[in-house]
Amino acid sequence: MLTIRRKTLEKAFNTLCYLLAGILIMLVGVHKYKEICVDDIAPTTVAAEFVRVVDGDTIVVILDGEEQTVRLIGINAPESVHPDESRNTPEGHAASDYVSELLAGIDEVYLEFDQEKIDAYDRLLAYVYYYDEDELIMLNKKILDEGYAVPLSIAPNTRYAKLFN
């Protein structure tokens, strides 16, 4: 008789979720498939209407008919719109411009939430995805990879912390 331990089944299930999510995203795109299995949690990835860029790590979307400010999880870009003008930097303006260029012509983005959904400033906290032609891009990682932000890991929203560092 073959005995399979629970952890082995859980790992197999998670692997299957990753595989199926990848296949579904490739075949039908995030437009039709909104749930992605990650670890033991099945976070919901939701479509939102992109409105505008606030700065290098913050955007505005319309979600469920309501305008929402979204702070990108896992990164920190230099200041460009701080009320204290002395804190705004040329690097912050460059980051903001870069994100504006990336999202030019984008109507829809996809928000993936982690453990905490809202921060102390009442902003949504999310990993943001968008399509560049047929390629799905994580905005947070793209900004980081291009040097317009630095990693910022704040527990409990650390799902991709290893990817960002």
Side-chain angles (χ1 to χ4, degrees), residues 31 46-53 59-62 98-111 128-139 142:
H31 296 283
V46 296
E49 180 183 338
F50 171 69
V51 175
R52 66 183 171 86
V53 172
I59 64 171
V60 175
V61 301
I62 295 176
Y98 177 71
V99 177
S100 294
E101 287 174 24
L102 287 177
L103 298 179
I106 299 295
D107 296 321
E108 191 171 50
V109 295
Y110 306 92
L111 310 178
V128 177
Y129 298 85
Y130 67 98
Y131 274 102
D132 182 9
E133 297 182 19
D134 290 336
E135 185 179 2
L136 184 64
I137 308 281
M138 181 196 278
L139 180 62
K142 180 82 171 169

Short mmCIF file of all heavy atoms in Angstrom, two decimals, residues 31 46-53 59-62 98-111 128-139 142:
data_model
loop_
_atom_site.label_atom_id
_atom_site.label_comp_id
_atom_site.label_asym_id
_atom_site.label_seq_id
_atom_site.Cartn_x
_atom_site.Cartn_y
_atom_site.Cartn_z
N HIS A 31 -7.56 38.53 -18.61
CA HIS A 31 -8.88 39.11 -18.83
C HIS A 31 -10.00 38.17 -18.40
O HIS A 31 -11.02 38.61 -17.91
CB HIS A 31 -9.08 39.44 -20.32
CG HIS A 31 -8.14 40.47 -20.82
ND1 HIS A 31 -8.29 41.80 -20.56
CD2 HIS A 31 -7.01 40.35 -21.55
CE1 HIS A 31 -7.31 42.47 -21.13
NE2 HIS A 31 -6.52 41.61 -21.74
N VAL A 46 -7.66 41.18 -9.56
CA VAL A 46 -8.83 41.87 -10.10
C VAL A 46 -8.43 42.89 -11.15
O VAL A 46 -7.40 43.53 -11.04
CB VAL A 46 -9.65 42.55 -8.98
CG1 VAL A 46 -10.22 41.53 -8.02
CG2 VAL A 46 -8.83 43.58 -8.24
N ALA A 47 -9.25 43.01 -12.14
CA ALA A 47 -9.04 44.01 -13.18
C ALA A 47 -9.52 45.36 -12.66
O ALA A 47 -10.52 45.44 -11.96
CB ALA A 47 -9.79 43.62 -14.45
N ALA A 48 -8.79 46.41 -13.02
CA ALA A 48 -9.16 47.78 -12.64
C ALA A 48 -8.87 48.70 -13.82
O ALA A 48 -7.94 48.45 -14.59
CB ALA A 48 -8.39 48.23 -11.41
N GLU A 49 -9.64 49.74 -13.94
CA GLU A 49 -9.40 50.74 -14.99
C GLU A 49 -8.25 51.64 -14.54
O GLU A 49 -8.31 52.25 -13.46
CB GLU A 49 -10.66 51.56 -15.22
CG GLU A 49 -10.51 52.62 -16.29
CD GLU A 49 -11.76 53.48 -16.44
OE1 GLU A 49 -12.86 53.03 -16.04
OE2 GLU A 49 -11.63 54.61 -16.93
N PHE A 50 -7.22 51.73 -15.36
CA PHE A 50 -6.09 52.61 -15.05
C PHE A 50 -6.49 54.06 -15.33
O PHE A 50 -7.05 54.37 -16.37
CB PHE A 50 -4.86 52.24 -15.88
CG PHE A 50 -3.75 53.23 -15.76
CD1 PHE A 50 -3.05 53.36 -14.57
CD2 PHE A 50 -3.43 54.05 -16.82
CE1 PHE A 50 -2.04 54.30 -14.45
CE2 PHE A 50 -2.41 54.99 -16.70
CZ PHE A 50 -1.71 55.11 -15.52
N VAL A 51 -6.21 54.95 -14.35
CA VAL A 51 -6.56 56.36 -14.49
C VAL A 51 -5.32 57.20 -14.73
O VAL A 51 -5.21 57.90 -15.73
CB VAL A 51 -7.33 56.87 -13.24
CG1 VAL A 51 -7.60 58.36 -13.34
CG2 VAL A 51 -8.62 56.09 -13.05
N ARG A 52 -4.35 57.13 -13.79
CA ARG A 52 -3.16 57.97 -13.93
C ARG A 52 -2.06 57.52 -12.98
O ARG A 52 -2.31 56.78 -12.03
CB ARG A 52 -3.49 59.44 -13.67
CG ARG A 52 -3.90 59.74 -12.25
CD ARG A 52 -4.27 61.23 -12.07
NE ARG A 52 -4.86 61.45 -10.78
CZ ARG A 52 -4.15 61.68 -9.66
NH1 ARG A 52 -2.85 61.76 -9.70
NH2 ARG A 52 -4.76 61.87 -8.50
N VAL A 53 -0.87 58.04 -13.23
CA VAL A 53 0.29 57.83 -12.36
C VAL A 53 0.36 58.98 -11.38
O VAL A 53 0.23 60.14 -11.77
CB VAL A 53 1.59 57.76 -13.20
CG1 VAL A 53 2.82 57.74 -12.30
CG2 VAL A 53 1.56 56.54 -14.11
N ILE A 59 -0.19 54.67 -8.20
CA ILE A 59 -1.07 54.96 -9.34
C ILE A 59 -2.50 55.13 -8.84
O ILE A 59 -2.79 54.83 -7.68
CB ILE A 59 -1.01 53.86 -10.42
CG1 ILE A 59 -1.55 52.53 -9.89
CG2 ILE A 59 0.40 53.71 -10.98
CD1 ILE A 59 -1.73 51.45 -10.95
N VAL A 60 -3.37 55.59 -9.72
CA VAL A 60 -4.79 55.72 -9.42
C VAL A 60 -5.56 54.83 -10.41
O VAL A 60 -5.26 54.83 -11.61
CB VAL A 60 -5.26 57.18 -9.52
CG1 VAL A 60 -6.76 57.29 -9.33
CG2 VAL A 60 -4.53 58.04 -8.50
N VAL A 61 -6.52 54.10 -9.88
CA VAL A 61 -7.37 53.22 -10.70
C VAL A 61 -8.82 53.43 -10.32
O VAL A 61 -9.12 54.03 -9.29
CB VAL A 61 -7.00 51.73 -10.50
CG1 VAL A 61 -5.54 51.46 -10.87
CG2 VAL A 61 -7.31 51.24 -9.09
N ILE A 62 -9.69 52.90 -11.14
CA ILE A 62 -11.10 52.80 -10.77
C ILE A 62 -11.38 51.32 -10.56
O ILE A 62 -11.19 50.50 -11.47
CB ILE A 62 -12.02 53.39 -11.84
CG1 ILE A 62 -11.77 54.90 -11.95
CG2 ILE A 62 -13.49 53.10 -11.50
CD1 ILE A 62 -12.56 55.60 -13.03
N TYR A 98 8.98 57.65 -15.98
CA TYR A 98 9.17 56.30 -16.49
C TYR A 98 7.89 55.48 -16.37
O TYR A 98 7.47 54.81 -17.32
CB TYR A 98 10.32 55.61 -15.76
CG TYR A 98 10.53 54.18 -16.19
CD1 TYR A 98 11.06 53.89 -17.44
CD2 TYR A 98 10.19 53.13 -15.35
CE1 TYR A 98 11.23 52.57 -17.85
CE2 TYR A 98 10.37 51.82 -15.75
CZ TYR A 98 10.89 51.54 -17.00
OH TYR A 98 11.06 50.24 -17.39
N VAL A 99 7.26 55.54 -15.21
CA VAL A 99 6.01 54.79 -15.00
C VAL A 99 4.92 55.33 -15.94
O VAL A 99 4.15 54.55 -16.51
CB VAL A 99 5.57 54.82 -13.52
CG1 VAL A 99 4.24 54.12 -13.33
CG2 VAL A 99 6.64 54.19 -12.64
N SER A 100 4.88 56.63 -16.12
CA SER A 100 3.91 57.22 -17.05
C SER A 100 4.13 56.70 -18.47
O SER A 100 3.17 56.40 -19.19
CB SER A 100 4.00 58.74 -17.03
OG SER A 100 3.60 59.24 -15.78
N GLU A 101 5.40 56.57 -18.88
CA GLU A 101 5.71 56.04 -20.21
C GLU A 101 5.28 54.57 -20.32
O GLU A 101 4.72 54.16 -21.34
CB GLU A 101 7.21 56.14 -20.50
CG GLU A 101 7.69 57.54 -20.76
CD GLU A 101 9.20 57.62 -20.90
OE1 GLU A 101 9.85 56.60 -21.24
OE2 GLU A 101 9.75 58.70 -20.65
N LEU A 102 5.56 53.78 -19.28
CA LEU A 102 5.18 52.36 -19.30
C LEU A 102 3.68 52.18 -19.46
O LEU A 102 3.23 51.27 -20.16
CB LEU A 102 5.62 51.66 -18.01
CG LEU A 102 7.09 51.38 -17.81
CD1 LEU A 102 7.32 50.75 -16.43
CD2 LEU A 102 7.62 50.45 -18.90
N LEU A 103 2.91 53.03 -18.78
CA LEU A 103 1.47 52.85 -18.76
C LEU A 103 0.73 53.71 -19.79
O LEU A 103 -0.51 53.69 -19.82
CB LEU A 103 0.94 53.11 -17.35
CG LEU A 103 1.47 52.16 -16.28
CD1 LEU A 103 0.91 52.52 -14.90
CD2 LEU A 103 1.17 50.70 -16.62
N ALA A 104 1.47 54.44 -20.62
CA ALA A 104 0.84 55.24 -21.68
C ALA A 104 0.05 54.30 -22.59
O ALA A 104 0.56 53.28 -23.05
CB ALA A 104 1.89 56.00 -22.47
N GLY A 105 -1.19 54.61 -22.80
CA GLY A 105 -2.03 53.79 -23.66
C GLY A 105 -2.64 52.57 -22.97
O GLY A 105 -3.37 51.80 -23.60
N ILE A 106 -2.34 52.37 -21.71
CA ILE A 106 -2.89 51.23 -20.96
C ILE A 106 -4.23 51.65 -20.36
O ILE A 106 -4.33 52.68 -19.69
CB ILE A 106 -1.93 50.79 -19.83
CG1 ILE A 106 -0.59 50.34 -20.39
CG2 ILE A 106 -2.58 49.71 -18.96
CD1 ILE A 106 -0.64 49.11 -21.25
N ASP A 107 -5.26 50.87 -20.61
CA ASP A 107 -6.58 51.15 -20.07
C ASP A 107 -6.91 50.31 -18.85
O ASP A 107 -7.69 50.72 -18.00
CB ASP A 107 -7.67 50.89 -21.12
CG ASP A 107 -7.53 51.82 -22.31
OD1 ASP A 107 -7.21 53.01 -22.11
OD2 ASP A 107 -7.74 51.35 -23.44
N GLU A 108 -6.31 49.11 -18.78
CA GLU A 108 -6.66 48.18 -17.72
C GLU A 108 -5.40 47.60 -17.09
O GLU A 108 -4.45 47.25 -17.78
CB GLU A 108 -7.50 47.04 -18.30
CG GLU A 108 -8.15 46.16 -17.28
CD GLU A 108 -9.14 45.20 -17.92
OE1 GLU A 108 -8.80 44.52 -18.91
OE2 GLU A 108 -10.28 45.15 -17.42
N VAL A 109 -5.40 47.56 -15.76
CA VAL A 109 -4.32 46.92 -15.01
C VAL A 109 -4.96 45.85 -14.12
O VAL A 109 -6.19 45.81 -13.96
CB VAL A 109 -3.52 47.93 -14.15
CG1 VAL A 109 -2.77 48.92 -15.02
CG2 VAL A 109 -4.41 48.65 -13.15
N TYR A 110 -4.12 45.01 -13.56
CA TYR A 110 -4.59 43.90 -12.73
C TYR A 110 -3.91 44.00 -11.38
O TYR A 110 -2.69 44.14 -11.31
CB TYR A 110 -4.30 42.56 -13.42
CG TYR A 110 -4.88 42.57 -14.81
CD1 TYR A 110 -4.11 42.98 -15.89
CD2 TYR A 110 -6.21 42.24 -15.02
CE1 TYR A 110 -4.66 43.05 -17.16
CE2 TYR A 110 -6.77 42.30 -16.29
CZ TYR A 110 -5.98 42.71 -17.36
OH TYR A 110 -6.53 42.79 -18.61
N LEU A 111 -4.69 43.95 -10.33
CA LEU A 111 -4.19 44.12 -8.97
C LEU A 111 -4.19 42.77 -8.26
O LEU A 111 -5.21 42.08 -8.23
CB LEU A 111 -5.07 45.10 -8.20
CG LEU A 111 -5.37 46.44 -8.86
CD1 LEU A 111 -6.30 47.26 -7.97
CD2 LEU A 111 -4.09 47.20 -9.16
N VAL A 128 0.94 45.17 -9.21
CA VAL A 128 0.17 45.64 -10.36
C VAL A 128 0.74 45.02 -11.63
O VAL A 128 1.96 45.03 -11.84
CB VAL A 128 0.22 47.18 -10.45
CG1 VAL A 128 -0.50 47.68 -11.69
CG2 VAL A 128 -0.38 47.80 -9.18
N TYR A 129 -0.14 44.50 -12.45
CA TYR A 129 0.24 43.88 -13.72
C TYR A 129 -0.42 44.63 -14.87
O TYR A 129 -1.51 45.19 -14.72
CB TYR A 129 -0.23 42.42 -13.76
CG TYR A 129 0.38 41.56 -12.69
CD1 TYR A 129 -0.19 41.50 -11.42
CD2 TYR A 129 1.51 40.80 -12.94
CE1 TYR A 129 0.36 40.70 -10.43
CE2 TYR A 129 2.07 40.00 -11.96
CZ TYR A 129 1.49 39.95 -10.70
OH TYR A 129 2.03 39.17 -9.72
N TYR A 130 0.25 44.61 -16.02
CA TYR A 130 -0.32 45.19 -17.23
C TYR A 130 0.20 44.39 -18.42
O TYR A 130 1.20 43.67 -18.32
CB TYR A 130 0.04 46.67 -17.37
CG TYR A 130 1.51 46.91 -17.61
CD1 TYR A 130 2.01 47.13 -18.89
CD2 TYR A 130 2.42 46.93 -16.55
CE1 TYR A 130 3.36 47.34 -19.11
CE2 TYR A 130 3.76 47.15 -16.76
CZ TYR A 130 4.23 47.35 -18.04
OH TYR A 130 5.58 47.55 -18.26
N TYR A 131 -0.50 44.51 -19.54
CA TYR A 131 -0.05 43.86 -20.76
C TYR A 131 0.74 44.83 -21.60
O TYR A 131 0.31 45.96 -21.82
CB TYR A 131 -1.24 43.34 -21.58
CG TYR A 131 -1.70 41.97 -21.16
CD1 TYR A 131 -2.83 41.81 -20.38
CD2 TYR A 131 -0.98 40.85 -21.55
CE1 TYR A 131 -3.25 40.55 -20.00
CE2 TYR A 131 -1.40 39.58 -21.17
CZ TYR A 131 -2.52 39.43 -20.40
OH TYR A 131 -2.93 38.19 -20.01
N ASP A 132 1.91 44.38 -22.07
CA ASP A 132 2.69 45.09 -23.08
C ASP A 132 2.66 44.17 -24.30
O ASP A 132 3.34 43.15 -24.32
CB ASP A 132 4.12 45.32 -22.61
CG ASP A 132 4.95 46.10 -23.61
OD1 ASP A 132 4.37 46.61 -24.60
OD2 ASP A 132 6.17 46.19 -23.42
N GLU A 133 1.81 44.51 -25.26
CA GLU A 133 1.48 43.63 -26.37
C GLU A 133 0.92 42.33 -25.79
O GLU A 133 -0.09 42.37 -25.11
CB GLU A 133 2.68 43.43 -27.28
CG GLU A 133 3.11 44.74 -27.92
CD GLU A 133 4.28 44.62 -28.87
OE1 GLU A 133 4.58 43.50 -29.34
OE2 GLU A 133 4.88 45.65 -29.15
N ASP A 134 1.56 41.20 -25.99
CA ASP A 134 1.04 39.93 -25.47
C ASP A 134 1.72 39.50 -24.18
O ASP A 134 1.44 38.42 -23.67
CB ASP A 134 1.20 38.82 -26.51
CG ASP A 134 0.28 39.01 -27.69
OD1 ASP A 134 -0.75 39.68 -27.52
OD2 ASP A 134 0.59 38.49 -28.77
N GLU A 135 2.61 40.31 -23.65
CA GLU A 135 3.37 39.93 -22.46
C GLU A 135 2.77 40.57 -21.21
O GLU A 135 2.55 41.78 -21.16
CB GLU A 135 4.82 40.37 -22.62
CG GLU A 135 5.70 39.92 -21.50
CD GLU A 135 7.16 40.34 -21.70
OE1 GLU A 135 7.48 41.01 -22.69
OE2 GLU A 135 7.96 40.00 -20.83
N LEU A 136 2.51 39.75 -20.20
CA LEU A 136 2.02 40.24 -18.92
C LEU A 136 3.22 40.65 -18.08
O LEU A 136 4.13 39.87 -17.85
CB LEU A 136 1.21 39.15 -18.21
CG LEU A 136 0.55 39.56 -16.90
CD1 LEU A 136 -0.51 40.63 -17.15
CD2 LEU A 136 -0.07 38.36 -16.22
N ILE A 137 3.24 41.89 -17.63
CA ILE A 137 4.37 42.47 -16.90
C ILE A 137 3.92 42.84 -15.49
O ILE A 137 2.86 43.44 -15.31
CB ILE A 137 4.87 43.77 -17.58
CG1 ILE A 137 5.14 43.57 -19.06
CG2 ILE A 137 6.04 44.37 -16.85
CD1 ILE A 137 6.41 42.89 -19.39
N MET A 138 4.75 42.52 -14.48
CA MET A 138 4.50 43.02 -13.13
C MET A 138 5.16 44.39 -13.04
O MET A 138 6.38 44.51 -13.10
CB MET A 138 5.08 42.10 -12.05
CG MET A 138 4.79 42.65 -10.63
SD MET A 138 5.77 41.92 -9.31
CE MET A 138 4.88 40.42 -8.99
N LEU A 139 4.36 45.42 -12.90
CA LEU A 139 4.85 46.79 -12.87
C LEU A 139 5.85 47.00 -11.74
O LEU A 139 6.91 47.62 -11.95
CB LEU A 139 3.67 47.76 -12.72
CG LEU A 139 4.00 49.25 -12.67
CD1 LEU A 139 4.69 49.71 -13.95
CD2 LEU A 139 2.74 50.05 -12.42
N LYS A 142 9.23 45.58 -12.74
CA LYS A 142 9.78 46.31 -13.88
C LYS A 142 10.42 47.62 -13.42
O LYS A 142 11.54 47.96 -13.83
CB LYS A 142 8.67 46.58 -14.91
CG LYS A 142 9.11 47.34 -16.12
CD LYS A 142 9.74 46.44 -17.12
CE LYS A 142 9.96 47.19 -18.43
NZ LYS A 142 10.81 46.44 -19.34
#
